[in-house]
Amino acid sequence: MPPESLTPSGHPIGPACDARGADWAGLHLGDSDLSEARLCRVDLRGADLSDCQLDGTDLRLARYDSATRWPEDFDFRSSGAVGPHARLSGSFLNSADLAGMDLSGAILMGAYLSGADLSGACLRGARLAGADLRHAVLRSALCEGVRFSGCQLDFADFRSAVLVDADLSTAESIRGADFTGATNLELIREALLSRPFRELDCWNPLTRRATRDSLKV
């Protein structure tokens, strides 16, 4: 059976089970012993794991949200799982599908997010200093209060992103980034247009627009 097909309903789960990529969203997992289980990329949004045993469980890139219930005293924020207030500094999230995820308050400093799909994600208050966001898709993402200091934003897609109280002035590079339709752009446009011409006049092959042109729309 493929790991992604393993679910608590109809299939036994237990220690060291392999459920990588499975959809367990909204499920009540009772008192399942998931010690040493491989739950990479499992969707745990809205799931109840409050009575589960999670000793040594591999939760890398598992998805959770504010409705997910965890065992008392389990440090899910540092487990490698992805969700609000997750501690993911330096994590390798290249090309990860994080579209629509709640990453509010997440610590992603120095994270590798090149090519990641963050479209529609909530990044309110996330800490992204020094992150690699080259070719990342942040279309319609909520970036309220995000400081992009030291971030590599080459060819990032910020179309229709919400940039309220966001600071991109100290980004390492915005070469080829597209800001078409971004909210609150008028407050940061002047600072962005003062960037070097090699960044502003670079063509984005995906959106077919130069950064300078996207800032003037």
Side-chain angles (χ1 to χ4, degrees), residues 93-131:
L93 299 167
N94 299 354
S95 302
D97 181 4
L98 302 173
M101 285 291 297
D102 181 1
L103 294 169
S104 54
I107 302 175
L108 292 156
M109 294 185 294
Y112 297 89
L113 288 155
S114 59
D117 185 357
L118 290 155
S119 55
C122 176
L123 291 163
R124 179 186 286 118
R127 297 168 65 181
L128 284 160

mmCIF file of all heavy atoms in Angstrom, residues 93-131:
data_model
loop_
_atom_site.group_PDB
_atom_site.id
_atom_site.type_symbol
_atom_site.label_atom_id
_atom_site.label_comp_id
_atom_site.label_asym_id
_atom_site.label_seq_id
_atom_site.Cartn_x
_atom_site.Cartn_y
_atom_site.Cartn_z
ATOM 1 N N LEU A 93 13.165 23.968 2.361
ATOM 2 C CA LEU A 93 11.778 23.936 1.902
ATOM 3 C C LEU A 93 11.711 24.291 0.425
ATOM 4 O O LEU A 93 10.701 24.779 -0.071
ATOM 5 C CB LEU A 93 10.926 24.915 2.730
ATOM 6 C CG LEU A 93 10.866 24.609 4.231
ATOM 7 C CD1 LEU A 93 10.268 25.792 4.999
ATOM 8 C CD2 LEU A 93 10.056 23.357 4.508
ATOM 9 N N ASN A 94 12.803 24.018 -0.282
ATOM 10 C CA ASN A 94 12.864 24.324 -1.709
ATOM 11 C C ASN A 94 11.721 23.643 -2.452
ATOM 12 O O ASN A 94 11.491 22.439 -2.288
ATOM 13 C CB ASN A 94 14.191 23.848 -2.306
ATOM 14 C CG ASN A 94 15.386 24.525 -1.667
ATOM 15 O OD1 ASN A 94 15.241 25.423 -0.853
ATOM 16 N ND2 ASN A 94 16.573 24.090 -2.026
ATOM 17 N N SER A 95 10.991 24.424 -3.253
ATOM 18 C CA SER A 95 9.902 23.925 -4.096
ATOM 19 C C SER A 95 8.750 23.313 -3.307
ATOM 20 O O SER A 95 7.913 22.600 -3.885
ATOM 21 C CB SER A 95 10.424 22.891 -5.117
ATOM 22 O OG SER A 95 11.437 23.470 -5.923
ATOM 23 N N ALA A 96 8.678 23.566 -2.005
ATOM 24 C CA ALA A 96 7.593 23.013 -1.193
ATOM 25 C C ALA A 96 6.257 23.643 -1.580
ATOM 26 O O ALA A 96 6.175 24.825 -1.910
ATOM 27 C CB ALA A 96 7.871 23.243 0.287
ATOM 28 N N ASP A 97 5.204 22.848 -1.536
ATOM 29 C CA ASP A 97 3.856 23.342 -1.793
ATOM 30 C C ASP A 97 3.266 23.810 -0.469
ATOM 31 O O ASP A 97 2.780 23.007 0.336
ATOM 32 C CB ASP A 97 2.988 22.233 -2.399
ATOM 33 C CG ASP A 97 1.572 22.710 -2.707
ATOM 34 O OD1 ASP A 97 1.281 23.916 -2.517
ATOM 35 O OD2 ASP A 97 0.750 21.879 -3.140
ATOM 36 N N LEU A 98 3.317 25.118 -0.241
ATOM 37 C CA LEU A 98 2.811 25.721 0.986
ATOM 38 C C LEU A 98 1.666 26.677 0.683
ATOM 39 O O LEU A 98 1.347 27.559 1.474
ATOM 40 C CB LEU A 98 3.950 26.465 1.706
ATOM 41 C CG LEU A 98 5.179 25.607 2.070
ATOM 42 C CD1 LEU A 98 6.296 26.486 2.617
ATOM 43 C CD2 LEU A 98 4.802 24.528 3.076
ATOM 44 N N ALA A 99 1.023 26.474 -0.441
ATOM 45 C CA ALA A 99 -0.068 27.349 -0.859
ATOM 46 C C ALA A 99 -1.197 27.316 0.167
ATOM 47 O O ALA A 99 -1.627 26.251 0.607
ATOM 48 C CB ALA A 99 -0.599 26.912 -2.220
ATOM 49 N N GLY A 100 -1.653 28.506 0.556
ATOM 50 C CA GLY A 100 -2.771 28.624 1.480
ATOM 51 C C GLY A 100 -2.453 28.266 2.916
ATOM 52 O O GLY A 100 -3.357 28.263 3.764
ATOM 53 N N MET A 101 -1.193 28.010 3.243
ATOM 54 C CA MET A 101 -0.835 27.609 4.602
ATOM 55 C C MET A 101 -0.864 28.792 5.564
ATOM 56 O O MET A 101 -0.567 29.920 5.195
ATOM 57 C CB MET A 101 0.564 26.995 4.613
ATOM 58 C CG MET A 101 0.639 25.591 4.042
ATOM 59 S SD MET A 101 -0.195 24.374 5.081
ATOM 60 C CE MET A 101 0.770 24.474 6.586
ATOM 61 N N ASP A 102 -1.216 28.499 6.810
ATOM 62 C CA ASP A 102 -1.127 29.495 7.868
ATOM 63 C C ASP A 102 0.268 29.403 8.471
ATOM 64 O O ASP A 102 0.579 28.464 9.205
ATOM 65 C CB ASP A 102 -2.194 29.229 8.940
ATOM 66 C CG ASP A 102 -2.154 30.266 10.075
ATOM 67 O OD1 ASP A 102 -1.311 31.194 10.012
ATOM 68 O OD2 ASP A 102 -2.962 30.134 11.016
ATOM 69 N N LEU A 103 1.122 30.367 8.134
ATOM 70 C CA LEU A 103 2.484 30.428 8.642
ATOM 71 C C LEU A 103 2.679 31.681 9.484
ATOM 72 O O LEU A 103 3.798 32.184 9.613
ATOM 73 C CB LEU A 103 3.481 30.402 7.475
ATOM 74 C CG LEU A 103 3.505 29.093 6.675
ATOM 75 C CD1 LEU A 103 4.313 29.273 5.390
ATOM 76 C CD2 LEU A 103 4.079 27.964 7.498
ATOM 77 N N SER A 104 1.588 32.166 10.045
ATOM 78 C CA SER A 104 1.672 33.383 10.851
ATOM 79 C C SER A 104 2.620 33.165 12.029
ATOM 80 O O SER A 104 2.564 32.146 12.719
ATOM 81 C CB SER A 104 0.279 33.776 11.365
ATOM 82 O OG SER A 104 -0.337 32.705 12.061
ATOM 83 N N GLY A 105 3.512 34.112 12.228
ATOM 84 C CA GLY A 105 4.458 34.040 13.332
ATOM 85 C C GLY A 105 5.524 32.978 13.193
ATOM 86 O O GLY A 105 6.306 32.761 14.125
ATOM 87 N N ALA A 106 5.592 32.301 12.053
ATOM 88 C CA ALA A 106 6.598 31.252 11.869
ATOM 89 C C ALA A 106 7.999 31.856 11.811
ATOM 90 O O ALA A 106 8.191 32.972 11.322
ATOM 91 C CB ALA A 106 6.317 30.454 10.605
ATOM 92 N N ILE A 107 8.963 31.119 12.315
ATOM 93 C CA ILE A 107 10.356 31.558 12.288
ATOM 94 C C ILE A 107 11.043 30.821 11.145
ATOM 95 O O ILE A 107 11.290 29.614 11.225
ATOM 96 C CB ILE A 107 11.054 31.287 13.625
ATOM 97 C CG1 ILE A 107 10.315 31.999 14.759
ATOM 98 C CG2 ILE A 107 12.508 31.747 13.575
ATOM 99 C CD1 ILE A 107 10.865 31.691 16.148
ATOM 100 N N LEU A 108 11.322 31.544 10.076
ATOM 101 C CA LEU A 108 11.888 30.974 8.852
ATOM 102 C C LEU A 108 13.187 31.669 8.472
ATOM 103 O O LEU A 108 13.546 31.740 7.305
ATOM 104 C CB LEU A 108 10.864 31.108 7.714
ATOM 105 C CG LEU A 108 9.601 30.241 7.848
ATOM 106 C CD1 LEU A 108 8.444 30.850 7.069
ATOM 107 C CD2 LEU A 108 9.882 28.824 7.368
ATOM 108 N N MET A 109 13.905 32.145 9.469
ATOM 109 C CA MET A 109 15.143 32.865 9.200
ATOM 110 C C MET A 109 16.169 31.947 8.559
ATOM 111 O O MET A 109 16.439 30.843 9.045
ATOM 112 C CB MET A 109 15.694 33.460 10.501
ATOM 113 C CG MET A 109 14.807 34.536 11.099
ATOM 114 S SD MET A 109 15.522 35.347 12.558
ATOM 115 C CE MET A 109 15.550 34.004 13.723
ATOM 116 N N GLY A 110 16.695 32.385 7.419
ATOM 117 C CA GLY A 110 17.685 31.602 6.711
ATOM 118 C C GLY A 110 17.141 30.346 6.066
ATOM 119 O O GLY A 110 17.911 29.489 5.626
ATOM 120 N N ALA A 111 15.824 30.227 5.981
ATOM 121 C CA ALA A 111 15.228 29.034 5.373
ATOM 122 C C ALA A 111 15.427 29.047 3.863
ATOM 123 O O ALA A 111 15.512 30.112 3.242
ATOM 124 C CB ALA A 111 13.739 28.964 5.706
ATOM 125 N N TYR A 112 15.490 27.874 3.288
ATOM 126 C CA TYR A 112 15.651 27.726 1.842
ATOM 127 C C TYR A 112 14.261 27.495 1.234
ATOM 128 O O TYR A 112 13.715 26.399 1.309
ATOM 129 C CB TYR A 112 16.588 26.560 1.529
ATOM 130 C CG TYR A 112 17.987 26.785 2.048
ATOM 131 C CD1 TYR A 112 18.344 26.388 3.334
ATOM 132 C CD2 TYR A 112 18.948 27.420 1.259
ATOM 133 C CE1 TYR A 112 19.628 26.605 3.820
ATOM 134 C CE2 TYR A 112 20.229 27.644 1.740
ATOM 135 C CZ TYR A 112 20.561 27.240 3.019
ATOM 136 O OH TYR A 112 21.837 27.466 3.498
ATOM 137 N N LEU A 113 13.716 28.550 0.650
ATOM 138 C CA LEU A 113 12.359 28.531 0.109
ATOM 139 C C LEU A 113 12.348 28.808 -1.389
ATOM 140 O O LEU A 113 11.318 29.194 -1.938
ATOM 141 C CB LEU A 113 11.496 29.569 0.840
ATOM 142 C CG LEU A 113 11.115 29.219 2.286
ATOM 143 C CD1 LEU A 113 10.820 30.490 3.084
ATOM 144 C CD2 LEU A 113 9.914 28.284 2.314
ATOM 145 N N SER A 114 13.471 28.598 -2.048
ATOM 146 C CA SER A 114 13.516 28.885 -3.480
ATOM 147 C C SER A 114 12.531 27.983 -4.220
ATOM 148 O O SER A 114 12.479 26.771 -3.996
ATOM 149 C CB SER A 114 14.929 28.675 -4.029
ATOM 150 O OG SER A 114 15.372 27.355 -3.811
ATOM 151 N N GLY A 115 11.719 28.597 -5.065
ATOM 152 C CA GLY A 115 10.735 27.854 -5.839
ATOM 153 C C GLY A 115 9.521 27.400 -5.058
ATOM 154 O O GLY A 115 8.647 26.723 -5.613
ATOM 155 N N ALA A 116 9.436 27.753 -3.789
ATOM 156 C CA ALA A 116 8.297 27.319 -2.976
ATOM 157 C C ALA A 116 7.024 28.034 -3.414
ATOM 158 O O ALA A 116 7.055 29.195 -3.822
ATOM 159 C CB ALA A 116 8.566 27.585 -1.500
ATOM 160 N N ASP A 117 5.904 27.335 -3.322
ATOM 161 C CA ASP A 117 4.607 27.928 -3.638
ATOM 162 C C ASP A 117 3.962 28.401 -2.340
ATOM 163 O O ASP A 117 3.465 27.593 -1.552
ATOM 164 C CB ASP A 117 3.705 26.907 -4.336
ATOM 165 C CG ASP A 117 2.380 27.517 -4.797
ATOM 166 O OD1 ASP A 117 2.139 28.721 -4.531
ATOM 167 O OD2 ASP A 117 1.584 26.793 -5.426
ATOM 168 N N LEU A 118 4.004 29.706 -2.113
ATOM 169 C CA LEU A 118 3.411 30.333 -0.933
ATOM 170 C C LEU A 118 2.199 31.169 -1.321
ATOM 171 O O LEU A 118 1.780 32.050 -0.579
ATOM 172 C CB LEU A 118 4.452 31.203 -0.229
ATOM 173 C CG LEU A 118 5.593 30.443 0.467
ATOM 174 C CD1 LEU A 118 6.829 31.325 0.575
ATOM 175 C CD2 LEU A 118 5.162 29.977 1.845
ATOM 176 N N SER A 119 1.628 30.870 -2.460
ATOM 177 C CA SER A 119 0.494 31.668 -2.928
ATOM 178 C C SER A 119 -0.668 31.539 -1.945
ATOM 179 O O SER A 119 -1.020 30.443 -1.506
ATOM 180 C CB SER A 119 0.062 31.215 -4.326
ATOM 181 O OG SER A 119 -0.227 29.831 -4.351
ATOM 182 N N GLY A 120 -1.237 32.680 -1.568
ATOM 183 C CA GLY A 120 -2.359 32.695 -0.644
ATOM 184 C C GLY A 120 -2.010 32.335 0.784
ATOM 185 O O GLY A 120 -2.900 32.228 1.630
ATOM 186 N N ALA A 121 -0.728 32.163 1.091
ATOM 187 C CA ALA A 121 -0.327 31.802 2.455
ATOM 188 C C ALA A 121 -0.425 33.009 3.380
ATOM 189 O O ALA A 121 -0.286 34.154 2.954
ATOM 190 C CB ALA A 121 1.095 31.256 2.456
ATOM 191 N N CYS A 122 -0.661 32.732 4.657
ATOM 192 C CA CYS A 122 -0.665 33.791 5.663
ATOM 193 C C CYS A 122 0.709 33.827 6.317
ATOM 194 O O CYS A 122 1.080 32.903 7.045
ATOM 195 C CB CYS A 122 -1.746 33.531 6.715
ATOM 196 S SG CYS A 122 -1.726 34.738 8.062
ATOM 197 N N LEU A 123 1.453 34.886 6.054
ATOM 198 C CA LEU A 123 2.793 35.068 6.610
ATOM 199 C C LEU A 123 2.820 36.224 7.600
ATOM 200 O O LEU A 123 3.886 36.778 7.879
ATOM 201 C CB LEU A 123 3.796 35.318 5.481
ATOM 202 C CG LEU A 123 4.072 34.125 4.560
ATOM 203 C CD1 LEU A 123 4.722 34.594 3.259
ATOM 204 C CD2 LEU A 123 4.947 33.103 5.259
ATOM 205 N N ARG A 124 1.672 36.573 8.135
ATOM 206 C CA ARG A 124 1.600 37.719 9.049
ATOM 207 C C ARG A 124 2.578 37.532 10.213
ATOM 208 O O ARG A 124 2.536 36.558 10.956
ATOM 209 C CB ARG A 124 0.183 37.864 9.598
ATOM 210 C CG ARG A 124 0.045 39.039 10.571
ATOM 211 C CD ARG A 124 -1.321 39.107 11.219
ATOM 212 N NE ARG A 124 -2.337 39.577 10.311
ATOM 213 C CZ ARG A 124 -3.396 38.861 9.930
ATOM 214 N NH1 ARG A 124 -3.531 37.616 10.356
ATOM 215 N NH2 ARG A 124 -4.306 39.370 9.119
ATOM 216 N N GLY A 125 3.500 38.485 10.344
ATOM 217 C CA GLY A 125 4.455 38.448 11.446
ATOM 218 C C GLY A 125 5.512 37.370 11.354
ATOM 219 O O GLY A 125 6.269 37.159 12.307
ATOM 220 N N ALA A 126 5.594 36.679 10.215
ATOM 221 C CA ALA A 126 6.634 35.641 10.069
ATOM 222 C C ALA A 126 8.014 36.285 10.027
ATOM 223 O O ALA A 126 8.174 37.422 9.561
ATOM 224 C CB ALA A 126 6.396 34.825 8.806
ATOM 225 N N ARG A 127 9.007 35.575 10.496
ATOM 226 C CA ARG A 127 10.385 36.081 10.520
ATOM 227 C C ARG A 127 11.168 35.379 9.422
ATOM 228 O O ARG A 127 11.427 34.176 9.492
ATOM 229 C CB ARG A 127 10.990 35.841 11.900
ATOM 230 C CG ARG A 127 10.248 36.610 12.990
ATOM 231 C CD ARG A 127 10.624 36.167 14.389
ATOM 232 N NE ARG A 127 12.007 36.445 14.708
ATOM 233 C CZ ARG A 127 12.575 36.135 15.872
ATOM 234 N NH1 ARG A 127 11.869 35.522 16.816
ATOM 235 N NH2 ARG A 127 13.843 36.421 16.086
ATOM 236 N N LEU A 128 11.526 36.146 8.393
ATOM 237 C CA LEU A 128 12.128 35.586 7.187
ATOM 238 C C LEU A 128 13.528 36.122 6.906
ATOM 239 O O LEU A 128 14.050 35.922 5.813
ATOM 240 C CB LEU A 128 11.229 35.881 5.983
ATOM 241 C CG LEU A 128 9.970 35.019 5.850
ATOM 242 C CD1 LEU A 128 8.950 35.687 4.947
ATOM 243 C CD2 LEU A 128 10.328 33.653 5.299
ATOM 244 N N ALA A 129 14.133 36.784 7.858
ATOM 245 C CA ALA A 129 15.447 37.386 7.630
ATOM 246 C C ALA A 129 16.429 36.371 7.055
ATOM 247 O O ALA A 129 16.578 35.266 7.575
ATOM 248 C CB ALA A 129 16.007 37.957 8.929
ATOM 249 N N GLY A 130 17.066 36.750 5.949
ATOM 250 C CA GLY A 130 18.082 35.913 5.343
ATOM 251 C C GLY A 130 17.565 34.709 4.582
ATOM 252 O O GLY A 130 18.356 33.873 4.153
ATOM 253 N N ALA A 131 16.267 34.625 4.383
ATOM 254 C CA ALA A 131 15.703 33.469 3.677
ATOM 255 C C ALA A 131 15.967 33.561 2.180
ATOM 256 O O ALA A 131 16.067 34.643 1.606
ATOM 257 C CB ALA A 131 14.200 33.373 3.936
#
